[in-house]
Structure formats: C-alpha cells, structure tokens
Amino acid sequence: MTTLNVPKETMSRKDPEKYFTIIEKLGEGSYGSVYKAINAGTGIVVAIKRVSVDNDLEDMEKEINFMKQCKSPYIVTYHASFRKENEVWIVMEYCGAGSVCDAMKITNKTLSEDQIAVVSRDVLQGLAYLHSVRKIHRDIKAGNILMNHKGESKLADFGVSGQLSDTMAKRQTVIGTPFWMAPEVIQEVGYDYKADIWSYGITCIEMAESKPPLFNVHPMRVIFMIPNPSRPPPKLTEPEKWSPEFNDFLAKCLTRKPEQRPSAEELLKHPFITRAKSHSLLVPLIDEQDIIINEKGREVALGIEQKDEEEEDLEDEDSDDSDIDRGTMVPRNNSGDEEYDTGTMVITDNKNSYDTVVFNNDDEDTGTMKLKSTMTAKKGFIPDYMNQFKKTDDDNKYSSHSLDDLKKMLADLEIEREKEVQKIHDRFSINRQALLAVIEEKKATTTKN
Ligand SMILES: Nc1ncnc2c1ncn2[C@@H]1O[C@H](COP(=O)(O)OP(=O)(O)OP(=O)(O)O)[C@@H](O)[C@H]1O
C-alpha cells in the first residue's frame, strides 16, 4: 500500500499546498470547510478540513494526537495536520460518498429499514471501539456518519472539534447538537458514553424520516423539552410501518435512564443488527447521489453557493456587528451581553448539516453556553435547522409596520421570552425539589429498616 507523502509532525509548519492540490469543496461545517484534495507524488485522494483557530492550540494538538492513535475501520482515519496562518488543516481519509445526511438531502430520500440496519452495524462497531478506548463522540448524527462507495460507514468529526481532551471535558459540560442530545447531557447531571447511544437512536429516526424528532420546534425550546421526564421517549412517527425489531432497537437506544440503556457492544447483539445484510444495500443510494452530483454539481446539489473570496470577505465584514440581521441565532439578554438567562447559546451555521452547540460552564454562575473555545466559528451563517425559523421572518408579515412599532414589538417579544423561560425554570425546580424530597424520604426509610 502506498503511504501518503506528508510530514509526520502534528500541525506541521510546512506549506500544505506543497503536499496537496485542492480539487473541490466537499462541504461546510461550523468551523470551516472540507475539501477534496490530491496528494502530490502518490495521487492519493484525501479530505482536508480547514479550521480557523485562535492562538491557543494546545487542546487541538492533544486532540490531533489522540486521533492519530485511533485506528478502526469504522472511524475516519487521520493522516496529517498543518498550521497555516490562522488555520489548521486536518488531512483525513476521503469518504467518497459523503455523509448519510448529505446523501438523503441530495437524493431527497430517506433510508430503508435494511439500509439503516447496515449503517447501524458499522456505527455501533465504531462506537464500541471509541468507548473501549474511553472516548465519547458526543456529536453523533447523520451528518457525522460518512460513507465510502462500498457503502461502508465511518464515524467522523470526533476529536476534530476539540471536545474530547481532558481539559476540554472539564470545562465543557454540554456538547452536541440540540435535537440529538441525550437528556442527561442537557441536564448536566454527569454523563458517559451512553449519551452516544441516545444520539444514535435519534440518528436512526433521522435516517428513517429525514429529520430528528422535534425538528420543527425551536432549539431553545428543545433543550427544555428533551429532559422532561413526563414526555415519553422519542419514537418513529408511524411505528406500525416498521418492524418490531427496529422499534425495539430504537426503544432500547432511547431509554431515558442511561444506566438502563444498553452499550454499543450489547446493541451489536440485537436482532435488528445481527440480521443486517450487506453493505451493497447502500450502493443504489450512493449511485443515485453520484448521478445527481454529476448532473448539477456538488454545490448546487447540496445547496451550497460557491462564493469567491472577495464575496466571503465582504460577508465577514458585514457579519461582525449584525449577526441577528444575517440570521445567525445569537440569543442575548437585553444588555447585549452574551448571557441568556441560563446562559448564552451561540449557534453558528452549517449550510449542509446540523450545527454543533457547545454549552460551556467556564462561568459556573451563568452556565454560559458558547462555542468550542479553540476554534473560530465561521461568521454569519445559519444552521439548517434554523432556516425554518428564519423563513417565518422572510414571510415578511411584519413588513407593513413602522420602525418604531417593530422595535416595540421586538421589546415585547423579549419580555415574553424571558417570562416563558422563567416559567419553565420554575416548573423544573418544583419538580426537582419534589423528587429530591421523595428521594431523601426513601433513603431515610431504607436506613431505618
Ligand atoms: N473525510 C471526509 N470525506 C468526505 N467528505 C467529508 C469528509 N469530512 C467531511 N466531509 C464532507 O464535508 C461536510 C462538512 O463537514 P464538517 O465536519 O465540517 O461539518 P459537519 O459535520 O457537517 O457540521 P458540524 O461542524 O456542525 O458538525 C460533510 O457534511 C461531508 O459532506
């Protein structure tokens, strides 16, 4: 097997463009873009993720070193990394069929139950491996499952975002993308690798129905709804259309109590997985995707506009002080500080997929939720799941009002929002207090007996 012609050191200061020729843009994430590239000398095709970074690269370096050690056919292989100006270039295995999310988007199809079973077997193997080396992925979703042309699936984007190092783990309590997050992750009651299993259950629903449950609900609300113990766990919209094995597999993944939720190893023994067929089942979907990409071009097929650098620069300038105008969801309190009741949730964009949110508790009091610290998020862009809410604005139902009226309406809306959030908080505290009291009572009775 030919080995890639790359420097061995992490974040090499050598010029990556001497080693790679960029062929095309594959997609965009919250922290940068991913390109298909070809290695000079060997002709090996790779994917390169270019991430904007600030100066503190210690965490990212740790992550990259960890990725280097991760060797599993079910996890996207790391090849090399470069530091170029304010970017880190991460060179990784190229998965020619892109993400499961993109495949669904481009073909406008969902996956059949048999296809989901095949993907699941690979994903569970990947998770079993990661968990065996004591790592949690924390951002499992169809956008982070990549496929090759044989229909084999691999977990991506773990580590790249810097979320897995010990220091980051201590600082950042909640990481993920709202709709896929496990209840215990949102509640910040401490969580472990079982959180990935929940997110995978949600991903299965996403693969079956194209969207995760609660997708039409605003993400700010979702983070209150998911942990609500009185809500039944998510399930397929029409369970009767799917086999009992699939429904049971989902119910197991989506068990509220993490201690009762099975591990990846255990789930690999589930009949839904053991009966999974060959990877070739995914090939028709991949072929159909290729035909569409060949016809329309990747950007059009994915709905990514190809912008020239000048245009991007202009956008960056614009977005410095006008995130809200541009649709980036940056909830703030009235003072404009980056705090929002229980914390600020800064959501940036990814036009192809669903964005990742990091809730950070650097500041214990406010529990400020913010972006991953090492990387600079791409400016002025809207996560896919935010587009539906943006559309409401675009409907222009407010356009006939005067500027003063609009400002007043906005102020009223802010007040209403604060009240709603307060109500939810109050309800949570009451339930929590009640539960704690009963727990104490039970403990006391047990001790007496
Ligand atoms: N190794 C790879 N091989 C082929 N395509 C890739 C590879 N890595 C990423 N891509 C493509 O690039 C897109 C963007 O990936 P990226 O990891 O930056 O963002 P994301 O996972 O979609 O979003 P987020 O950063 O919010 O989690 C993916 O959807 C996928 O289509």
Side-chain angles (χ1 to χ4, degrees):
M1 207 177 80
T2 331
T3 358
L4 224 57
N5 162 30
V6 281
K8 287 214 161 36
E9 65 275 15
T10 303
M11 287 197 226
S12 166
R13 300 304 298 230
K14 292 183 182 136
D15 183 1
E17 290 182 87
K18 291 220 166 81
Y19 294 86
F20 295 98
T21 310
I22 303 276
I23 303 171
E24 63 170 327
K25 188 170 181 175
L26 293 170
E28 269 175 26
S30 351
Y31 301 98
S33 304
V34 180
Y35 298 85
K36 181 177 178 181
I38 192 152
N39 185 219
T42 68
I44 296 175
V45 175
V46 295
I48 301 183
K49 186 164 189 159
R50 286 166 53 175
V51 182
S52 299
V53 287
D54 59 24
N55 292 323
D56 175 17
L57 289 175
E58 215 180 296
D59 285 323
M60 189 172 266
E61 196 164 350
K62 274 192 207 156
E63 285 318 312
I64 292 178
N65 284 332
F66 176 72
M67 283 164 67
K68 266 182 173 175
Q69 295 156 24
C70 262
K71 299 229 181 310
S72 157
Y74 306 102
I75 288 170
V76 174
T77 309
Y78 161 92
H79 291 311
S81 57
F82 295 87
R83 172 85 200 266
K84 186 177 168 154
E85 290 149 19
N86 66 338
E87 282 187 341
V88 169
W89 291 34
I90 298 160
V91 183
M92 54 191 158
E93 171 185 6
Y94 172 64
C95 299
S99 74
V100 172
C101 177
D102 286 351
M104 291 197 294
K105 207 181 268 180
I106 292 171
T107 59
N108 200 16
K109 286 205 163 131
T110 50
L111 270 62
S112 69
E113 184 173 319
D114 283 345
Q115 288 173 323
I116 297 173
V118 176
V119 172
S120 300
R121 189 180 49 204
D122 290 346
V123 169
L124 289 173
Q125 303 258 30
L127 285 179
Y129 171 80
L130 272 188
H131 297 164
S132 75
V133 292
R134 309 183 66 77
K135 292 288 158 189
I136 312 170
H137 185 292
R138 301 192 222 203
D139 202 10
I140 297 289
K141 54 183 177 179
N144 283 337
I145 302 171
L146 300 182
M147 292 182 294
N148 61 21
H149 274 100
K150 290 187 218 156
E152 294 164 344
S153 300
K154 288 157 193 265
L155 290 177
D157 231 15
F158 98 92
V160 173
S161 39
Q163 69 248 43
L164 296 169
S165 70
D166 290 345
T167 38
M168 297 294 276
K170 267 181 230 140
R171 288 210 314 253
Q172 295 174 344
T173 47
V174 185
I175 302 172
T177 310
F179 306 95
W180 290 261
M181 280 183 190
E184 69 272 18
V185 175
I186 294 175
Q187 281 166 314
E188 301 190 61
V189 288
Y191 62 95
D192 61 6
Y193 63 95
K194 295 283 185 73
D196 284 342
I197 303 294
W198 175 284
S199 302
Y200 188 63
I202 299 289
T203 306
C204 285
I205 299 182
E206 181 193 4
M207 291 189 284
E209 299 180 351
S210 92
K211 301 279 180 260
L214 301 177
F215 188 77
N216 293 323
V217 181
H218 197 285
M220 287 297 281
R221 191 172 273 269
V222 163
I223 60 171
F224 290 106
M225 287 172 81
I226 293 172
N228 183 349
S230 58
R231 280 181 64 83
K235 55 184 176 57
L236 290 156
T237 315
E238 294 175 292
E240 65 288 353
K241 288 199 172 160
W242 306 85
S243 73
E245 286 86 2
F246 185 31
N247 279 298
D248 183 70
F249 175 79
L250 281 178
K252 295 225 156 48
C253 293
L254 297 169
T255 305
R256 270 195 180 280
K257 291 192 175 153
E259 60 279 10
Q260 286 167 12
R261 209 178 292 151
S263 66
E265 280 291 352
E266 284 163 340
L267 284 168
L268 279 164
K269 296 184 195 121
H270 192 281
F272 178 64
I273 302 299
T274 52
R275 63 149 214 209
K277 298 176 185 143
S278 145
H279 286 118
S280 61
L281 275 187
L282 269 310
V283 174
L285 180 78
I286 295 166
D287 285 347
E288 191 177 332
Q289 173 180 237
D290 283 350
I291 293 169
I292 298 172
I293 292 175
N294 284 338
E295 263 172 25
K296 298 187 179 172
R298 191 181 295 273
E299 279 85 16
V300 177
L302 275 168
I304 321 169
E305 296 153 56
Q306 190 73 295
K307 291 179 198 128
D308 55 35
E309 275 179 26
E310 207 178 304
E311 224 179 312
E312 276 193 8
D313 286 350
L314 270 174
E315 281 196 2
D316 283 359
E317 275 169 33
D318 284 356
S319 63
D320 276 350
D321 54 4
S322 60
D323 314 48
I324 290 167
D325 294 348
R326 299 182 54 89
T328 304
M329 184 187 148
V330 186
R332 294 161 196 259
N333 64 10
N334 291 340
S335 69
D337 289 338
E338 288 201 338
E339 285 170 17
Y340 171 71
D341 205 5
T342 54
T344 306
M345 181 163 86
V346 183
I347 300 182
T348 54
D349 164 72
N350 171 356
K351 285 184 179 119
N352 291 325
S353 158
Y354 309 104
D355 197 17
T356 304
V357 178
V358 174
F359 295 35
N360 185 307
N361 73 344
D362 277 351
D363 178 339
E364 296 286 348
D365 295 336
T366 57
T368 307
M369 307 166 196
K370 59 187 170 196
L371 287 168
K372 299 161 190 172
S373 56
T374 320
M375 293 173 289
T376 325
K378 278 175 82 84
K379 286 176 186 170
F381 89 167
I382 313 146
D384 235 15
Y385 56 74
M386 291 311 297
N387 282 330
Q388 57 189 326
F389 303 106
K390 188 178 171 283
K391 273 193 198 104
T392 323
D393 301 338
D394 293 345
D395 287 341
N396 267 340
K397 59 178 173 174
Y398 300 124
S399 59
S400 59
H401 292 265
S402 72
L403 187 63
D404 281 344
D405 273 357
L406 289 169
K407 282 183 180 162
K408 181 161 185 323
M409 282 159 79
L410 184 66
D412 289 345
L413 195 71
E414 289 290 332
I415 296 167
E416 197 184 308
R417 183 188 69 177
E418 295 297 325
K419 279 188 192 155
E420 285 297 317
V421 172
Q422 191 56 50
K423 266 194 229 160
I424 295 168
H425 268 254
D426 293 345
R427 211 172 59 229
F428 260 84
S429 330
I430 291 166
N431 282 343
R432 191 167 179 274
Q433 290 302 334
L435 274 167
L436 285 174
V438 179
I439 289 170
E440 283 311 313
E441 220 172 79
K442 290 228 172 203
K443 270 193 200 158
T445 328
T446 326
T447 329
K448 259 191 223 158
N449 296 339

